[in-house]
């Protein structure tokens, strides 16, 4: 098939490359000129394993072309971001302009697939209306489908192949047609449904995780009160065959789990009570971390804090919605001085320091992200850099005995 993928971000680029390496002729589009240039020269902007190599291969053999302009195709796939605005309502402007940009290239019998996470009803409403506005019948002339991505950053290429997918069509024929296309690289099962159910399913998956993590975070706070270790308690509880509690931590970041529940909350209002509460609990965790830091130091004013990790999770370079950034804001609000180090983050919204510089003269080290490099740190070597050997582990990353043996005072979130 001739496929045009609109948006070459963390989903669009791997999807385009997978299609291109599986027999399709793919044209990738991104309005960001720098991004196009960077993909041309390096294959990919992110550190996603295997992606740069795959992209370079399909670019070199001509199966993938990229530019800032859409082109005629049999199938258009929209992979554009849908962030939330300051008031936490969904921002569909990127999706709208992406659809607008491809509409002049749409013809009868084409397929239009939306992969971006959207509020329930968007494909059958907004997108179908835009297609109708161009004179096409979205239930007959063209095939409209919502096909959410499910892949986890850090393991995208593998999960694109192996995970089951859901394809929601405006018609059964549309869903079936999308299945035919995606099954050229998806080895998992492809489940067919209607577009609004598929939209809901996507939001529910990430909301499930948000609620589960909020539960774990509440247990962490309770464990501190009860003088026990939440990590031990959760590990034992999870030995029950029907219990699967996630990990507590400094809060939930990233552009998916910390955002998607709002797509339901915004539409459902006060009916989404549990989802709202989960967001509240998870968003309160950075403050909780700073409160623990305050307790350790007996006050934060003028203290030097080294923050290790600003990415939203371990071994990725993405700092969006990261709880580490909220921890830093909360430290600033208490007049603490901070320096931050993250070896994975290339584009940072805050000033980053080198490892040595961040730790120099620190009164307290906060491990905010579970990068492997932090797990492997040697307590003696780090101890030579800091002013006070005090460390707050928000990820249960450190070997506490080892650090304590090297003279460190170690505090683990969710423990006495
Ligand atoms: N986190 C915890 N405790 C946990 C697991 C995660 O505090 O037990 C935190 C992480 O540190 C991070 C945040 O939650 O800050 C989100 O990380 P994540 O690894 O759970 O998820 P994402 O945002 O990287 O990717 C999610 C995935 N969704 C699910 O697992 C249901 C992925 O499959 C989706 O494709 C992706 O969102 C998306 O694009 O929607």
């Amino acid at each position: 098939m001739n496929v045009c993928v609109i948006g070459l971000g963390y989903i669009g680029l791997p999807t385009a490359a997978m299609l291109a390496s599986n027999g399709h002729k793919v044209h990738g589009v991104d309005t960001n000129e720098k991004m196009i240039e960077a993909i041309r020269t390096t294959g990919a902007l992110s550190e996603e394993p295997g992606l740069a190599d795959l992209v370079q291969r399909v670019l070199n053999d001509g199966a993938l072309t990229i530019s800032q302009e859409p082109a005629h195709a049999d199938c258009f796939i929209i992979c554009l971001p849908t962030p939330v605005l300051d008031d936490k309502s969904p921002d569909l402007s990127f999706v709208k302009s992406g659809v607008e940009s491809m509409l002049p290239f749409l013809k009868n019998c084409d397929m239009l697939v939306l992969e971006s996470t959207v509020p329930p009803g968007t494909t059958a409403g907004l997108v179908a209306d835009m297609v109708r506005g161009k004179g096409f019948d979205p239930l007959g002339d063209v095939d409209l489908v919502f096909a959410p991505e499910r892949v986890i950053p850090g393991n995208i290429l593998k999960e694109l192949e192996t995970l089951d997918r859901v394809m929601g069509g405006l018609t059964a024929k549309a869903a079936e047609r999308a299945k035919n296309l995606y099954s050229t690289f998806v080895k998992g099962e492809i489940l067919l449904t209607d577009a609004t159910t598929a939209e809901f399913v996507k939001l529910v998956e990430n909301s499930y995780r948000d609620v589960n993590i909020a539960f774990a975070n509440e247990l962490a706070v309770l464990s501190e009160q009860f003088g026990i270790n939440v990590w031990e308690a959760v590990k034992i509880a999870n030995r029950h065959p029907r219990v699967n509690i996630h990990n507590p931590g400094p809060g939930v970041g990233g552009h998916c789990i910390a955002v998607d529940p709002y797509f339901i909350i915004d539409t459902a209002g006060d009916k989404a009570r549990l989802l709202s509460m989960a967001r509240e609990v998870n968003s309160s965790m950075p403050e909780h971390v700073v409160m623990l830091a305050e307790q350790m130091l007996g006050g934060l004013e003028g203290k030097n804090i080294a923050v290790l990790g600003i990415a939203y999770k371990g071994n990725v370079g993405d700092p969006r919605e990261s709880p580490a950034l909220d921890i830093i804001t909360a430290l600033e609000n208490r007049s603490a001085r901070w320096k931050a180090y993250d070896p994975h983050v290339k584009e940072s919204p805050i000033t980053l320091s080198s490892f040595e510089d961040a730790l120099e003269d620190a009164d307290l080290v906060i491990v905010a992200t579970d990068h492997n490099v932090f797990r492997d740190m040697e307590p003696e070597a780090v101890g030579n850099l800091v002013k006070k050997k005090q460390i707050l582990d928000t990820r249960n990353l450190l070997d506490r005995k080892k650090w304590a043996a090297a003279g460190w005072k170690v505090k683990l979130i969710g423990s006495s």
Side-chain angles (χ1 to χ4, degrees):
M1 247 189 172
N2 277 315
V3 184
C4 180
V5 177
I6 317 270
L8 296 177
Y10 90 107
I11 295 299
L13 185 61
T15 302
M18 282 300 243
L19 286 164
S21 67
N22 281 281
H24 301 283
K25 179 93 189 65
V26 183
H27 181 65
V29 183
D30 205 291
T31 51
N32 184 338
E33 194 183 346
K34 280 195 187 136
M35 177 102 114
I36 295 284
E37 265 323 298
I39 295 170
R40 276 209 186 102
T41 46
T42 63
L45 283 177
S46 73
E47 291 184 336
E48 194 57 44
L51 182 60
D53 286 349
L54 179 67
V55 170
Q56 260 161 354
R57 184 157 63 75
V58 287
L59 279 174
N60 287 342
D61 69 19
L64 176 66
T65 54
I66 53 172
S67 80
Q68 286 178 271
E69 295 297 325
H72 284 289
D74 310 309
C75 173
F76 297 84
I77 303 180
I78 310 281
C79 298
L80 290 164
T82 43
V84 284
L85 298 165
D86 287 344
D87 67 355
K88 305 296 182 199
S89 64
D91 177 4
L92 297 178
S93 59
F94 298 100
V95 166
K96 272 191 214 161
S97 55
V99 174
E100 251 156 37
S101 76
M102 52 67 60
L103 280 177
F105 298 89
L106 189 71
K107 57 186 187 315
N108 270 343
C109 301
D110 280 354
M111 173 159 67
L112 171 55
V113 179
L114 180 63
E115 284 212 22
S116 315
T117 306
V118 289
T122 304
T123 308
L126 174 85
V127 181
D129 285 347
M130 291 178 78
V131 166
R132 216 174 271 118
K134 269 277 165 185
F136 296 101
D137 175 7
L139 298 173
D141 297 335
V142 291
D143 291 318
L144 257 188
V145 181
F146 180 72
E149 57 82 15
R150 279 175 158 168
V151 289
I152 197 110
N155 197 23
I156 289 181
L157 287 185
K158 182 151 184 274
E159 288 204 351
L160 269 180
E161 239 173 29
T162 54
L163 292 190
D164 293 346
R165 294 286 293 253
V166 53
M167 312 260 139
L170 244 57
T171 62
K173 173 182 153 272
E176 195 62 54
R177 194 170 166 207
K179 180 179 175 178
N180 284 340
L181 173 66
Y182 280 82
S183 61
T184 52
F185 68 91
V186 174
K187 310 260 185 300
E189 203 175 322
I190 298 180
L191 307 155
L192 304 186
T193 183
D194 63 89
T196 306
T197 302
E199 289 163 342
F200 191 60
V201 165
K202 168 68 198 183
L203 298 172
V204 164
E205 290 168 358
N206 281 349
S207 299
Y208 161 79
R209 209 157 158 82
D210 200 44
V211 170
N212 196 324
I213 297 167
F215 180 59
N217 282 332
E218 183 160 301
L219 300 183
V221 174
L222 293 175
S223 296
E224 286 165 13
Q225 192 182 327
F226 297 149
I228 57 169
N229 181 321
V230 72
W231 304 88
E232 188 194 354
V234 166
K235 197 168 154 195
I236 299 171
N238 279 350
R239 292 294 291 271
H240 187 293
R242 286 176 291 281
V243 174
N244 175 25
I245 305 166
H246 290 5
N247 289 324
V252 170
H255 41 89
C256 306
I257 295 188
V259 169
D260 293 3
Y262 291 120
F263 286 39
I264 298 179
I265 295 167
D266 182 71
T267 320
D270 54 14
K271 286 201 183 76
R273 286 180 296 166
L274 194 55
L275 298 196
S276 304
M277 188 56 83
R279 283 282 71 237
E280 209 176 287
V281 170
N282 289 332
S283 305
S284 72
M285 291 312 287
E287 272 293 336
H288 183 72
V289 169
V290 171
M291 190 272 289
L292 293 177
E294 201 160 24
Q295 279 177 0
M296 286 179 83
L297 294 173
L300 284 168
E301 200 177 334
K303 294 285 166 54
N304 296 330
I305 315 290
V307 178
L308 295 185
I310 67 152
Y312 79 95
K313 68 174 185 178
N315 308 317
V316 301
D318 186 347
R320 278 178 291 174
E321 316 290 330
S322 176
L325 299 175
D326 292 332
I327 290 172
I328 286 169
T329 306
L331 288 171
E332 276 175 0
N333 291 341
R334 286 171 180 71
S335 307
R337 287 194 290 259
W338 60 269
K339 283 188 188 165
Y341 167 70
D342 195 309
H344 289 277
V345 173
K346 302 283 174 275
E347 274 184 51
S348 170
I350 59 165
T351 307
L352 294 180
S353 307
S354 69
F355 184 65
E356 289 75 16
D357 196 23
L359 290 164
E360 195 190 6
D361 279 339
D363 295 293
L364 174 72
V365 180
I366 301 180
V367 178
T369 304
D370 42 348
H371 291 320
N372 287 345
V373 283
F374 300 147
R375 183 183 284 114
D376 299 339
M377 290 185 304
E378 280 306 326
E380 285 83 11
V382 183
N384 291 334
L385 297 166
V386 297
K387 182 154 68 183
K388 287 207 175 117
K389 290 187 187 178
Q390 304 196 85
I391 192 158
L392 171 54
D393 182 358
T394 71
R395 299 282 190 169
N396 196 19
L397 197 70
L398 305 176
D399 179 340
R400 281 202 290 165
K401 279 197 189 128
K402 187 170 145 188
W403 284 74
W408 284 79
K409 179 179 170 191
V410 191
K411 170 81 186 165
L412 170 65
I413 195 169
S415 75
S416 54

